[in-house]
Amino acid sequence: MMDLKKMEDGFRMILEGMGEDIHREGLLDTPKRVSKMYAELMTSLNADKNPADILKTRFHEKYDEMIVVPNIEFASMCEHHFLPFTGRAFVAYIPGDCVVGLSKIPRVVEYFARMPQIQERMTRQIAELIQNELNPRGVAVLLEASHMCMTMRGVKKPGATMVTTQLLGRFKTDEKTRAEFMTYIHREG
């Protein structure tokens, strides 16, 4: 469980460490606002819910073609510098014996975005959860994101993005299936 008071005190110490006057009018409530902001951005850390529960509502359908959910916007927090990274997720799966409601895939993306994260792990976590819970014939996840730790500090390259993929099942073993997925991405991108 998050400790808002501890986060507030910690941010107050950061401001003092920067040499700021924490009694200045503009900063009086900043530590409290920052702690509330982190509680909002990191909701998955407080989640009592198992992420597998997101995919529990299933529909048994005889559908064996690719299902693609493109352009799922997300915002996450890089665990290395605690700066945001934002982007889009493209998720596809080839059902085994069931499908899930359309909103469930974006909810999975959102769940893994709402914690300190690295893009590579987030990509893998999304794919593995769908694979483990739905047992589809294949899963493909592609994330493209811009990282503030690279655009506003360090190398300072605004506009640069990183792309990560995780391919499982037929997406990994069948070149035609992989190419079809990439066609949808290029169409949507």
Side-chain angles (χ1 to χ4, degrees):
M1 191 78 167
M2 283 192 208
D3 185 336
L4 292 178
K5 177 72 170 112
K6 190 178 269 189
M7 289 193 301
E8 185 178 332
D9 293 343
F11 196 74
R12 189 173 290 107
M13 289 175 57
I14 289 172
L15 289 172
E16 289 173 334
M18 291 177 180
E20 275 289 352
D21 174 5
I22 62 168
H23 302 290
R24 181 163 64 82
E25 182 181 13
L27 293 178
L28 282 176
D29 291 327
T30 298
K32 184 180 286 187
R33 284 190 296 270
V34 169
S35 69
K36 287 181 179 179
M37 174 199 69
Y38 278 118
E40 179 183 343
L41 294 177
M42 304 293 165
T43 54
S44 293
L45 295 178
N46 269 345
D48 294 334
K49 191 176 198 177
N50 178 337
D53 292 341
I54 298 167
L55 299 174
K56 289 297 182 203
T57 303
R58 301 172 190 171
F59 306 99
H60 294 280
E61 292 292 331
K62 291 184 179 189
Y63 185 81
D64 62 357
E65 296 295 325
M66 189 181 304
I67 295 172
V68 182
V69 185
N71 289 317
I72 304 167
E73 293 186 7
F74 68 87
S76 192
M77 193 69 70
C78 170
E79 68 183 32
H80 298 142
H81 297 99
F82 259 75
L83 287 170
F85 65 96
T86 60
R88 297 178 304 157
F90 299 82
V91 180
Y93 70 101
I94 302 169
D97 65 351
C98 65
V99 297
V100 293
L102 177 60
S103 71
K104 304 307 182 194
I105 301 300
R107 288 176 199 270
V108 169
V109 172
E110 185 73 4
Y111 179 87
F112 289 114
R114 294 299 183 161
M115 60 182 66
Q117 197 51 283
I118 62 171
Q119 185 174 331
E120 299 89 339
R121 181 187 320 118
M122 182 175 159
T123 306
R124 178 182 49 77
Q125 288 173 321
I126 294 165
E128 288 179 351
L129 181 68
I130 294 168
Q131 181 65 46
N132 292 339
E133 293 304 312
L134 300 182
N135 196 27
R137 292 180 177 93
V139 178
V141 176
L142 182 144
L143 300 185
E144 181 178 16
S146 175
H147 294 250
M148 296 295 282
C149 57
M150 186 173 75
T151 62
M152 71 179 284
R153 61 153 302 280
V155 72
K156 296 181 185 127
K157 294 295 177 196
T161 60
M162 179 166 83
V163 175
T164 52
T165 61
Q166 182 73 54
L167 305 172
L168 303 173
R170 282 189 30 203
F171 289 97
K172 190 169 189 95
T173 61
D174 183 356
E175 191 174 312
K176 287 181 182 178
T177 303
R178 188 168 47 253
E180 181 182 346
F181 173 63
M182 296 308 283
T183 298
Y184 289 117
I185 290 172
H186 293 303
R187 182 184 314 163
E188 296 296 325

